[in-house]
Amino acid sequence: MKKKVLLSLVTIALLGISGCENSKNNASESSVSESSVSNSREKQRITKTSNSNVEEERTDEEVDMEDAQKLLKENTKAEKLTMLFEKGDVVTNGDNAVNFTINGYQYIKIENFSRDFSVSFGDQNREGGVLLVSATYKNNSDKSVYTGPGFSMNVVGYGSAIGRDEDLLENDLVGELLEKNNEIKPNEEISGFVALGVKPAAMQKITESGTAEFELPGFYSKPDSFSKADTIAEPKKERITLSDEGDKNNTESSKFYEDKLTKDNMGTKTMIHEKNLGKSETFENATVTAEGYQITSFEPNEDQASRFSKFESGVVLITVKLNIKNDGESPLNVDSTSATLKIGNTVKMMSENMLQIKSGEDNVGKGSEATKCLVFVLDKDEYEKLYKDQDLLLDVNLYDTDFKRITTIGNIQFELS
């Protein structure tokens, strides 16, 4: 069987993700045996054509993680493969019509591999990491769509993006798409594998953080056009876990509002106080709802410490979650939404835009809505001694698409305490 068929299936492919089912993520440091790497199992594969007529094609082998591991070992001539972590949780971008899915992934250490790969792994061939990703593109619509770039990840403390290495797997999923000019035809599904090469320096940072930010590709209506007008689904970044500790921390962090500090894993939050509000205020044709707020202590990661160095006693964050709905004719730029926070009768502070993210489009038109989390940063000692028991008053600023403020002081206010 040709390796190209082995690694990329066009239309509906049944992927046996060896060891990934039920999110079995307790495989840390377990060795990938020679037999599991070398022997592919006898199975059947079912594929469908891209039109409504169903055809069945039967072959002797089904593409699975073991086949991908086998090819990885053959291509790199690695003496040993060791499983560091695996996960089968589904991560998706898109909707029911057009979507991209990570079916599962394995983080593997390779040792004593071919010198041909030494440059890719930091000018040495003793050890390196490989993220082996099983993924599927699906187009349930009646028109061709085109996919954009993806399959790269960033790790906290490591300065460079970690990308796909086409030499690790011959004719991988990305290679298959490139041959098709990144086109996914109507009612077509394409599945396969992609491998990312991880240098030892990046592996060390993964050991420290246990997570990475993975870029999921988007979809477009025209080939080679990534303009907003041609966008069907924007590319997005999702945090994935690469160790048991990272998996635990990721579960912990899910209880916090998704500001930039949480999403980019900039440090550790500890909850001090949380309150659901559900209060709404209307300005002209916009309704702003303060869903709640969280007060947390924050300890930045080593690489983020200098950013918070002026807070000598520590950092306290006040994060407010807003929902903004627009029923007017003129769109609002939700990404520019800001606020001032009045503490007691004397202190006023602005929200920190560089620590905030929004969920949804930048510009929200009639009938649409988006979420924005506002962040305020305080010195820990000052919070404990001066602000802890003070009243908090939030004054929200809305902006139009020309970045012009359309509200004045007092138009949209919420008492938080």
Side-chain angles (χ1 to χ4, degrees):
M1 176 178 291
K2 293 182 179 179
K3 291 177 180 176
K4 178 177 176 182
V5 175
L6 186 67
L7 288 172
S8 186
L9 302 181
V10 179
T11 68
I12 295 178
L14 302 181
L15 295 179
I17 311 241
S18 175
C20 281
E21 294 86 345
N22 301 319
S23 300
K24 294 180 182 176
N25 49 14
N26 294 319
S28 178
E29 298 293 340
S30 62
S31 177
V32 179
S33 68
E34 185 69 27
S35 60
S36 71
V37 172
S38 301
N39 301 326
S40 56
R41 296 168 291 178
E42 294 289 309
K43 293 185 179 179
Q44 291 182 329
R45 183 179 75 218
I46 300 174
T47 61
K48 291 184 179 180
T49 58
S50 59
N51 55 40
S52 59
N53 297 320
V54 177
E55 296 179 0
E56 291 189 356
E57 176 186 321
R58 304 201 179 267
T59 61
D60 293 330
E61 295 172 312
E62 179 185 278
V63 173
D64 59 14
M65 279 288 189
E66 289 185 5
D67 296 317
Q69 291 171 3
K70 177 183 176 183
L71 187 56
L72 173 64
K73 192 170 190 294
E74 288 177 352
N75 283 355
T76 60
K77 297 181 174 61
E79 182 181 294
K80 184 181 179 183
L81 270 64
T82 303
M83 184 82 69
L84 300 180
F85 187 77
E86 63 179 347
K87 200 166 181 66
D89 285 358
V90 172
V91 182
T92 300
N93 187 27
D95 53 27
N96 290 332
V98 179
N99 58 71
F100 168 85
T101 301
I102 294 179
N103 308 302
Y105 56 88
Q106 295 180 345
Y107 178 39
I108 298 169
K109 179 169 72 173
I110 60 173
E111 298 177 75
N112 300 323
F113 45 88
S114 169
R115 292 185 184 278
D116 293 342
F117 291 87
S118 60
V119 174
S120 298
F121 290 97
D123 294 325
Q124 55 85 42
N125 66 327
R126 294 181 301 279
E127 71 172 35
V130 175
L131 184 69
L132 191 59
V133 182
S134 166
T136 299
Y137 292 86
K138 185 183 291 186
N139 180 12
N140 292 324
S141 72
D142 57 1
K143 296 180 180 179
S144 284
V145 298
Y146 300 85
T147 185
F151 292 103
S152 67
M153 67 179 182
N154 290 282
V155 177
V156 172
Y158 186 71
S160 303
I162 300 168
R164 166 224 180 200
D165 191 327
E166 60 183 318
D167 295 324
L168 292 173
L169 294 180
E170 227 171 74
N171 299 311
D172 64 358
L173 176 58
V174 173
E176 175 75 24
L177 285 164
L178 289 173
E179 289 186 7
K180 295 163 59 68
N181 296 319
N182 290 321
E183 179 185 12
I184 304 168
K185 295 180 179 178
N187 300 310
E188 183 176 54
E189 184 174 310
I190 305 174
S191 297
F193 294 87
V194 175
L196 284 70
V198 186
K199 296 179 181 179
M203 293 179 72
Q204 178 59 40
K205 294 300 180 182
I206 288 173
T207 300
E208 294 172 10
S209 68
T211 63
E213 190 178 57
F214 194 92
E215 183 174 2
L216 309 178
F219 292 92
Y220 305 87
S221 59
K222 296 179 182 178
D224 303 319
S225 174
F226 306 132
S227 70
K228 213 161 186 64
D230 298 325
T231 300
I232 298 171
E234 290 187 346
K236 72 175 183 178
K237 295 180 179 180
E238 289 283 344
R239 184 158 63 169
I240 62 172
T241 56
L242 296 172
S243 72
D244 289 334
E245 187 65 24
D247 207 40
K248 179 182 176 182
N249 292 339
N250 204 38
T251 301
E252 270 297 301
S253 68
S254 65
K255 68 184 180 183
F256 297 109
Y257 291 153
E258 198 176 51
D259 51 31
K260 194 171 181 64
L261 300 107
T262 299
K263 183 174 175 57
D264 291 356
N265 192 26
M266 294 171 67
T268 302
K269 283 183 177 181
T270 303
M271 192 74 75
I272 296 174
H273 178 68
E274 179 179 22
K275 187 173 183 179
N276 295 322
L277 294 173
K279 297 179 180 178
S280 296
E281 293 290 339
T282 301
F283 175 77
E284 295 181 354
N285 292 305
T287 300
V288 179
T289 302
E291 297 186 6
Y293 69 94
Q294 295 177 340
I295 302 177
T296 57
S297 64
F298 176 71
E299 184 176 345
N301 295 332
E302 183 180 350
D303 61 307
Q304 295 288 335
S306 61
R307 191 170 185 174
F308 299 90
S309 59
K310 70 176 183 178
F311 301 98
E312 295 181 1
S313 67
V315 180
V316 168
L317 307 171
I318 300 177
T319 306
V320 185
K321 186 176 182 180
L322 299 179
N323 179 272
I324 301 165
K325 184 177 181 181
N326 184 16
D327 289 319
E329 297 297 333
S330 301
L332 300 173
N333 187 328
V334 173
D335 192 40
S336 296
T337 301
S338 64
T340 57
L341 184 66
K342 185 179 179 182
I343 305 176
N345 294 318
T346 55
V347 178
K348 270 190 178 182
M349 57 193 315
M350 287 292 299
S351 55
E352 299 283 348
N353 190 56
M354 296 299 291
L355 299 179
Q356 300 168 175
I357 59 173
K358 58 94 182 68
S359 176
E361 297 288 335
D362 287 352
N363 299 329
V364 173
K366 185 176 182 179
S368 298
E369 59 188 280
T371 298
K372 181 74 182 279
C373 288
L374 303 174
V375 182
F376 302 87
V377 186
L378 297 85
D379 179 85
K380 190 170 186 178
D381 272 358
E382 289 182 359
Y383 170 76
E384 291 288 344
K385 296 174 181 178
L386 302 175
Y387 308 142
K388 185 176 180 179
D389 299 318
Q390 297 290 322
D391 291 333
L392 303 175
L393 182 66
L394 185 78
D395 197 303
V396 179
N397 307 316
L398 296 182
Y399 293 79
D400 63 19
T401 53
D402 294 323
F403 304 98
K404 181 181 177 181
R405 180 175 166 179
I406 60 175
T407 54
T408 57
I409 296 173
N411 286 150
I412 303 175
Q413 289 187 332
F414 299 98
E415 292 183 359
L416 303 184
S417 53

